[in-house]
Amino acid sequence: MKNFIFTFTIVLLFLSTTVAQENRLAHKQPNTAEIFHKIEKLGFLGTALYVAAHPDDENTRLISWLANDKMARTAYLSLTRGDGGQNLIGPQLREQLGMIRTQELLEARNIDGGQQFFTRANDFGYSKHPDETLEIWNQQEVMEDMVQIIREFKPDVIINRFNHRTPGTTHGHHTTSAMLSMKVFDYAADKTVYANQLKDLDTWQAQRVFFNTSWWFYGSQEAFDNADKTNLLEIEAGTYYPYKGLSNSEIAALSRSKHKSQGFGSTGSRGSQTEYLEFLKGSFPTDKSDLFSGINTTWTRVKGGSRIQTQLNSIISNYNFKQPTASIPALIQLRSSIEKLKEDHWKGIKLEELDQILLDLTGFYVEASVNIPSATAGEKLDVKIEVTNRSNEEFKINLLPNQLIQVENESFLLLKNESKNVQATLQIPEIYDASTPYYLKEKGTLGMYQVKNKTLTGQPESEPEFIVRAFIELQGIRLYKDIPIIHKRTDPVRGEVNEPFHIIPEIAVSIENPVYVFSGNAAQPIQVTIKANKKIEKGSLELCHPDGWKLTPTEYTFSNLEKGEEKIYTFIVQPPKDASRGLISGLVKVGSKSYSKEVIKIDYDHIPDQQLVRNNESQVVKPGLQNRARTVAYINGAGDDVAQAIEAMGSKVFKFEPDEVPNDLSKYDAVVVGIRAFNVAAQNMEALQPRLDVYVKNGGTLLMQYNTSRRIDSDVLGPLPITLSRKRVTDENADVKILQPDHKILSVPNAITSKDFEGWVQERGLYFPEKWDPAFTPILGMNDKDEEMTKGSLIVADYGKGHIIYTGLSLFRELPAGVSGAYRLLANMISIGVKNQPIEQTDGQKKL
Ligand SMILES: [Zn+2]
């Protein structure tokens, strides 16, 4: 949403000057102690799966403890990617925020040692109850993914973050994650359930399910102390890891701090820490201090595995920290013993771990990079491959060419501490899709992503676009390493930077704003940018639009665009006479090919650069409204785009920070307070109170948008008392009862009807007042299913000669989404105290 970016410019500038922090693509060689720990980990054959709903729900302390202390294979299954959350570091929302949070989870797991899975469920926003969640998610599809992940990952224990027995006490997604986890525990083992998966997979029976509880879930420490703990396991999770120089809680904090978009930077702690696991289902542990007790987690769980443990014990006791390569011969013997096993699951996992350990021990370094961040289909690029042998013995390297990658020097010997640069060329096929997250390729629904390819189930992200495979011959065995081609560069501040290499469309097309609002009959310019990512001789650009809208010109032609050249074209768009709403989309034609994709880049230091490629599409809306407010003062709150929406309706808007509001407000037809201003600038808003009081008494209109109820007294929200509650209506289609049909706020200048509450997005509103001064009149009634009607979504009072309006309606979401009714209602709110005629929008320049 490009037009919202400016609000966040300051934040972005601030971010770019903070201390550089590298993403997980940075090459990291484990040291001798870390390698030793990896060898120890070869001896634990147990698996744990942690289940919750969103990125940041997971308890990184328990995940880190499982992966590092218990040394279990550990994964976090987040049902969603967190698209519905807020973004504290930039303007990206919805699927772009989901992309950021997916990467933040991968960065977190890179620190705490877990793996990461997702389902196709989409975080559509807040829901109060699992029933509401499951009306929007496709339960069968979410469970299908969960069952497949369990059948593939084969967890012995499953740990829920949330309580499945208390619907309605937390986000509906949370409770649902635990409820579905209880079900799929059984389904994964049932050969009649999702039987189509059993062509490639076996059923799997996990042994037990826990709920990772804490005193918090009991309401208070005291209630927790007094609770029956028969089924509760206490885990000491405060371990200090000498090989890392960190305590478990310190690792957990580093991991949690990766959730930067959520502002979850956290400080580590040291010393003893207890985690509580409530046993829910399966076999009860034989020892209450060990969640795996009674489950065989040694090599004897695999047929013929007992001698593996003996070999491994000897390698561990003979490990030489000063000369770790001395373990290589014994590890190669261990490898050959594991290869002889008949069982497949653990054999495959442990061989992969062991091969990586052998590569780690040699200090083997390999990378394949290009010096540009992206290219188009059909391009041919130089690839630089660096291979370095940092061990004491020589080994043979074989770089495997494939259809796309030609290598100059395929096989060669590398001597002790020798480094070789090998030239390769990458030929990108003539027809090749631009890089975009696999789960965003198809159009999904509100509740589900659409992914047809079942081999991608659970995967966090698309595979790297291009891979070079290197074989290493070491003491008679052959190891391999797949090396993704990355974009490597040196940044003057950050130093070495490694980013993914992306394929971009030959021509990208984008429209300046996501929504254009036409409040009057005046035409507006709409700018379309095309970017040639390769040389283009000639082509044309048109703008697809709904019936009744007129464009001048109807088409542009262009010629001789150089690679990298960007051109902006302006279409003058004339709305129809009546209210109308539809989509516009830029379309470029070059010969027989057409292009309509836009490229969105997401660049932050703490995650690899992300690219989203999607159809360019914007909304044109003519709400059919009249507005009387000529000048509006907007007091900024926590950040919203309502001021732009008011400008789009033809008012002149003056924006102020809460501490910069002028003394005399009398020249403004309305003063509008941004969302959560009383939360984020409490003192400044309190200081403004006398000025607002005088302004309204003398005939002004004060419109206050939603604030959260936390630490807000009833006497601070404007001149008259208002008490906020946590009441919200999350169903965006919930019925709206018009309590005061004749009230001027519903009739002048626009006649508001139930039609104006159609097509709302995400929710009706939030934190509605529950008590108010008798001067206020509640205008609307609404409620979610099976709940009592709330009347606080919009309240209006006459005060002196002026008006006070408080609304928890989520105008800040509806206006940027182009919802006509929200514009018409807002026009009435800011026009309520104005007697003159509606303003006619003539300059044709106003847009959202
Ligand atoms: Zn959550």
Side-chain angles (χ1 to χ4, degrees):
M1 298 199 164
K2 280 150 286 173
N3 66 321
F4 306 156
I5 284 174
F6 74 95
T7 325
F8 295 95
T9 314
I10 296 163
V11 183
L12 291 175
L13 285 174
F14 174 72
L15 259 184
S16 61
T17 56
T18 53
V19 178
Q21 15 157 327
E22 287 319 310
N23 66 55
R24 66 188 184 283
L25 299 188
H27 190 92
K28 195 174 170 292
Q29 175 71 19
N31 64 38
T32 178
E34 287 163 339
I35 294 172
F36 176 72
H37 179 66
K38 284 180 162 196
I39 294 174
E40 282 188 310
K41 207 169 170 171
L42 288 175
F44 191 86
L45 281 68
T47 304
L49 181 67
Y50 199 90
V51 179
H54 308 118
D56 81 16
D57 285 344
E58 85 277 23
N59 178 351
T60 53
R61 193 165 74 186
L62 189 59
I63 289 176
S64 172
W65 179 83
L66 285 161
N68 297 298
D69 185 314
K70 202 68 203 167
M71 298 193 276
R73 279 172 81 229
T74 306
Y76 172 39
L77 167 55
S78 174
L79 297 192
T80 76
R81 297 169 187 269
D83 299 27
Q86 299 179 0
N87 182 358
L88 297 183
I89 57 170
Q92 298 86 3
L93 290 172
R94 303 302 324 164
E95 74 261 49
Q96 293 176 51
L97 178 60
M99 289 168 68
I100 293 173
R101 298 184 72 185
T102 297
Q103 295 300 318
E104 289 180 340
L105 272 189
L106 290 169
E107 294 293 336
R109 296 295 83 78
N110 189 44
I111 287 173
D112 61 36
Q115 300 177 47
Q116 185 61 50
F117 300 121
F118 294 92
T119 73
R120 282 170 288 171
N122 193 342
D123 175 7
F124 54 82
Y126 194 79
S127 64
K128 290 176 189 166
H129 198 279
D131 291 349
E132 199 183 316
T133 302
L134 291 171
E135 271 174 27
I136 296 175
W137 286 355
N138 180 325
Q139 182 172 186
Q140 290 308 315
E141 287 182 7
V142 180
M143 289 198 302
E144 181 184 11
D145 290 358
M146 295 174 85
V147 166
Q148 186 179 332
I149 289 162
I150 290 173
R151 285 172 175 170
E152 284 173 355
F153 191 60
K154 300 189 194 309
D156 299 302
V157 297
I158 293 176
I159 303 165
N160 296 342
R161 164 81 283 190
F162 297 104
N163 192 344
H164 65 289
R165 297 154 296 197
T166 52
T169 56
T170 175
H171 196 322
H173 297 176
H174 291 165
T175 314
T176 305
S177 73
M179 288 165 58
L180 298 186
S181 174
M182 294 298 278
K183 289 187 181 179
V184 296
F185 173 81
D186 297 320
Y187 291 170
D190 185 338
K191 64 180 191 308
T192 66
V193 181
Y194 302 116
N196 55 329
Q197 292 177 359
L198 299 174
K199 279 180 278 174
D200 307 307
L201 298 169
D202 296 325
T203 55
W204 181 255
Q205 180 63 69
Q207 292 303 302
R208 54 190 71 131
V209 189
F210 295 103
F211 161 39
N212 181 200
T213 188
S214 74
W215 68 264
W216 187 84
F217 287 96
Y218 290 74
S220 69
Q221 184 69 48
E222 198 190 355
F224 179 66
D225 291 342
N226 295 330
D228 174 17
K229 298 202 180 59
T230 321
N231 282 340
L232 224 53
L233 273 69
E234 285 186 30
I235 306 282
E236 167 51 45
T239 320
Y240 173 69
Y241 306 117
Y243 70 95
K244 281 182 183 280
L246 289 167
S247 73
N248 188 64
S249 306
E250 286 174 322
I251 295 174
L254 291 171
S255 169
R256 191 146 189 83
S257 297
K258 288 294 176 186
H259 294 301
K260 296 193 190 300
S261 69
Q262 305 308 298
F264 275 179
S266 120
T267 301
S269 61
R270 291 144 292 277
S272 174
Q273 300 277 348
T274 310
E275 285 292 338
Y276 296 95
L277 296 175
E278 184 192 345
F279 171 81
L280 298 176
K281 193 163 162 174
S283 65
F284 196 83
T286 50
D287 168 2
K288 271 183 66 177
S289 68
D290 180 5
L291 77 168
F292 282 99
S293 58
I295 301 168
N296 187 351
T297 55
T298 70
W299 272 103
T300 58
R301 86 182 281 174
V302 176
K303 192 161 179 266
S306 51
R307 53 185 281 243
I308 307 274
Q309 192 62 51
T310 319
Q311 275 177 281
L312 184 60
N313 290 345
S314 147
I315 293 168
I316 291 169
S317 53
N318 291 320
Y319 187 79
N320 183 339
F321 283 82
K322 275 173 89 173
Q323 203 199 334
T325 47
S327 295
I328 290 179
L331 282 165
I332 287 177
Q333 276 177 17
L334 179 71
R335 187 177 186 271
S336 126
S337 305
I338 297 175
E339 271 186 321
K340 289 191 186 101
L341 296 173
K342 291 224 160 50
E343 190 264 9
D344 280 336
H345 175 62
W346 283 107
K347 177 177 158 181
I349 292 163
K350 293 299 174 184
L351 277 178
E352 205 179 312
E353 289 176 13
L354 181 46
D355 285 359
Q356 186 56 50
I357 290 168
L358 286 165
L359 292 172
D360 292 343
L361 281 167
T362 64
F364 181 64
Y365 183 96
V366 61
E367 66 171 28
S369 62
V370 289
N371 59 6
I372 50 172
S374 52
T376 60
E379 273 194 76
K380 195 171 186 178
L381 303 175
D382 288 335
V383 180
K384 190 179 140 191
I385 303 175
E386 183 200 321
V387 196
T388 306
N389 170 12
R390 294 186 282 190
S391 73
N392 283 327
E393 53 186 300
E394 59 190 48
F395 50 67
K396 205 177 146 197
I397 301 289
N398 188 10
L399 297 170
L400 190 72
N402 58 43
Q403 278 184 322
L404 308 178
I405 300 163
Q406 293 303 313
V407 188
E408 211 172 70
N409 195 354
E410 283 170 22
S411 115
F412 48 90
L413 204 64
L414 266 190
L415 305 176
K416 176 184 171 184
N417 211 21
E418 187 184 8
S419 183
K420 255 204 173 98
N421 285 323
V422 179
Q423 279 305 319
T425 49
L426 165 66
Q427 174 66 60
I428 305 162
E430 289 295 332
I431 296 174
Y432 199 92
D433 283 346
S435 318
T436 201
Y438 75 88
Y439 57 90
L440 294 174
K441 282 185 178 166
E442 309 255 343
K443 201 167 174 69
T445 61
L446 177 64
M448 298 300 297
Y449 289 122
Q450 170 116 356
V451 182
K452 293 204 184 83
N453 182 352
K454 296 290 176 228
T455 63
L456 294 169
T457 299
Q459 292 309 307
E461 58 180 349
S462 307
E463 291 284 314
E465 295 290 349
F466 306 101
I467 284 172
V468 177
R469 179 166 282 196
F471 287 100
I472 304 98
E473 276 176 35
L474 175 73
Q475 296 187 11
I477 59 160
R478 202 157 185 247
L479 305 169
Y480 79 89
K481 181 97 185 145
D482 280 339
I483 318 143
I485 294 181
I486 56 162
H487 169 227
K488 183 179 173 179
R489 67 186 172 92
T490 304
D491 180 280
V493 176
R494 293 166 69 188
E496 180 182 323
V497 178
N498 296 293
E499 299 290 3
F501 169 63
H502 289 135
I503 301 302
I504 46 177
E506 290 168 358
I507 298 179
V509 192
S510 58
I511 300 177
E512 192 187 10
N513 297 319
V515 181
Y516 292 85
V517 176
F518 295 72
S519 59
N521 291 321
Q524 275 189 48
I526 291 186
Q527 285 188 345
V528 183
T529 302
I530 64 173
K531 184 175 184 192
N533 291 316
K534 72 171 204 181
K535 194 174 160 57
I536 302 288
E537 276 176 20
K538 60 173 188 181
S540 66
L541 167 69
E542 56 195 279
L543 192 58
C544 309
H545 57 88
D547 286 347
W549 295 68
K550 290 205 169 60
L551 260 60
T552 321
T554 52
E555 186 187 271
Y556 282 98
T557 55
F558 55 84
S559 55
N560 296 323
L561 289 188
E562 292 301 322
K563 182 177 175 175
E565 193 174 343
E566 232 176 51
K567 280 219 153 134
I568 299 173
Y569 295 96
T570 303
F571 291 89
I572 304 298
V573 179
Q574 177 71 50
K577 282 217 160 48
D578 299 329
S580 170
R581 184 176 173 183
L583 293 173
I584 52 167
S585 173
L587 179 70
V588 168
K589 288 181 181 159
V590 176
S592 60
K593 285 185 172 176
S594 55
Y595 302 92
S596 59
K597 301 275 188 194
E598 70 174 325
V599 177
I600 295 164
K601 301 263 186 195
I602 303 173
D603 297 349
Y604 291 106
D605 286 1
H606 70 297
I607 56 173
D609 286 353
Q610 297 297 299
Q611 173 173 296
L612 171 65
V613 176
R614 63 176 185 192
N615 281 327
N616 83 86
E617 217 173 62
S618 297
Q619 278 196 72
V620 283
V621 186
K622 188 182 180 196
L625 63 77
Q626 295 190 325
N627 172 23
R628 291 178 176 179
R630 286 185 161 73
T631 51
V632 172
Y634 200 88
I635 302 175
N636 294 332
D640 59 66
D641 301 296
V642 176
Q644 288 100 304
I646 298 173
E647 270 182 344
M649 297 193 299
S651 306
K652 202 161 173 46
V653 180
F654 300 84
K655 291 179 84 173
F656 302 104
E657 291 304 324
D659 58 348
E660 292 170 347
V661 176
N663 283 328
D664 181 11
L665 291 165
S666 61
K667 69 172 182 174
Y668 302 106
D669 288 334
V671 172
V672 181
V673 183
I675 62 167
R676 300 203 307 278
F678 293 91
N679 296 116
V680 297
Q683 284 182 352
N684 290 327
M685 289 308 295
E686 204 175 330
L688 268 181
Q689 194 79 284
R691 243 175 290 168
L692 293 172
D693 194 85
V694 170
Y695 164 72
V696 180
K697 273 187 177 144
N698 289 333
T701 298
L702 172 65
L703 165 59
M704 293 172 282
Q705 301 178 73
Y706 101 93
N707 290 273
T708 68
S709 53
R710 262 179 90 188
R711 291 195 287 268
I712 287 226
D713 294 333
S714 63
D715 58 350
V716 305
L717 295 167
L720 296 171
I722 296 172
T723 307
L724 297 180
S725 73
R726 296 179 61 83
K727 285 182 188 155
R728 57 202 294 173
V729 175
T730 57
D731 179 357
E732 66 273 26
N733 298 314
D735 276 344
V736 176
K737 187 168 166 48
I738 294 181
L739 304 172
Q740 299 289 337
D742 300 328
H743 197 282
K744 56 189 168 184
I745 203 159
L746 295 184
S747 51
V748 186
N750 303 296
I752 302 295
T753 66
S754 56
K755 204 164 172 286
D756 289 295
F757 295 97
E758 289 173 8
W760 282 46
V761 297
Q762 191 147 343
E763 64 189 349
R764 287 286 186 210
L766 61 177
Y767 294 97
F768 293 155
E770 60 181 354
K771 277 195 288 189
W772 44 78
D773 187 274
F776 279 108
T777 305
I779 306 294
L780 305 171
M782 58 182 74
N783 54 275
D784 279 322
K785 206 172 129 197
D786 302 328
E787 288 186 7
E788 226 176 278
M789 181 186 287
T790 98
K791 296 181 177 177
S793 62
L794 172 61
I795 54 175
V796 185
D798 290 345
Y799 184 70
K801 293 181 198 156
H803 300 85
I804 301 169
I805 306 170
Y806 189 95
T807 184
L809 291 170
S810 57
L811 298 174
F812 68 104
R813 291 195 204 284
E814 311 308 321
L815 300 166
V819 175
S820 301
Y823 279 92
R824 289 162 45 83
L825 191 54
L826 176 61
N828 283 10
M829 293 179 190
I830 57 177
S831 301
I832 193 167
V834 190
K835 296 281 184 299
N836 47 31
Q837 286 306 301
I839 46 178
E840 179 56 32
Q841 199 182 344
T842 50
D843 61 4
Q845 298 299 315
K846 296 286 186 280
K847 55 188 183 283
L848 179 64

